[in-house]
Amino acid sequence: GLVLQPSYAKDAMNICACCGCCCGVLRMARMTSEPASVLVSAFRANLDAELCQGCATCESRCQMEAITVNGKAALDLSRCIGCGLCVNTCPSGALNLVRKPAAEQRKLPADMVQAYIEWGKTRGTISTPSLLGMVVRSKLDRMLSRQPSPILD
């Protein structure tokens, strides 16, 4: 039941196998209204409702709460991150992974700093003014830390 995920940047730093209850990245994505817009994936689940037997295995496996079962499964593509956890346990074969059309595939951020900034903007926790303020404070902190300490002189 773990989601295999690389770091979401061109300059990949790691590959993780995580669950939504422990992983900060997955937990953050699940808290957004549209996790598919936050995490970069070239794939998404595809549901053939006619094959669905309504067993709800997929519903309990989905880390992003993208699948609900009320007689038959229903898939919310705005929440699907294309991890495939629902696919490999579907006994009827009603679910599979498909490649998103090129127009729907987001570009990977250059590095993790850019990825975190994009996530913050998506969640509404980082705005351009707050980001500028962080940059200014960081530069000031670095400049002040380079000055000799009067205690050590």
Side-chain angles (χ1 to χ4, degrees):
L2 300 177
V3 176
L4 184 62
Q5 58 183 349
S7 56
Y8 292 97
K10 286 182 183 176
D11 184 15
M13 296 171 35
N14 62 314
I15 295 178
C16 293
C18 300
C19 63
C21 61
C22 301
C23 174
V25 171
L26 292 177
R27 209 172 32 237
M28 178 276 311
R30 189 176 51 235
M31 290 188 312
T32 66
S33 61
E34 297 183 349
S37 70
V38 177
L39 301 180
V40 179
S41 174
F43 297 91
R44 66 175 171 218
N46 182 56
L47 172 67
D48 183 342
E50 291 194 19
L51 293 177
C52 179
Q53 299 171 350
C55 70
T57 303
C58 56
E59 185 177 35
S60 62
R61 293 274 289 179
C62 183
Q63 302 284 324
M64 294 297 120
E65 301 167 347
I67 301 175
T68 53
V69 178
N70 189 9
K72 297 256 184 192
L75 177 62
D76 180 352
L77 291 178
S78 70
R79 297 201 60 82
C80 177
I81 61 171
C83 68
L85 289 181
C86 58
V87 172
N88 63 2
T89 56
C90 180
S92 65
L95 288 159
N96 62 0
L97 282 181
V98 296
R99 184 175 283 280
K100 291 178 185 176
E104 292 180 29
Q105 292 184 28
R106 290 185 44 240
K107 292 184 178 168
L108 282 170
D111 54 33
M112 287 308 295
V113 171
Q114 187 63 40
Y116 289 135
I117 290 170
E118 287 180 21
W119 292 341
K121 286 181 177 179
T122 301
R123 290 177 55 206
T125 55
I126 293 180
S127 64
T128 301
S130 68
L131 190 57
L132 289 172
M134 284 188 273
V135 170
V136 169
R137 283 190 303 276
S138 175
K139 287 191 183 291
L140 281 172
D141 287 346
R142 280 184 274 156
M143 284 184 349
L144 293 173
S145 69
R146 290 184 187 143
Q147 293 186 5
S149 170
I151 297 171
L152 299 176
D153 289 338

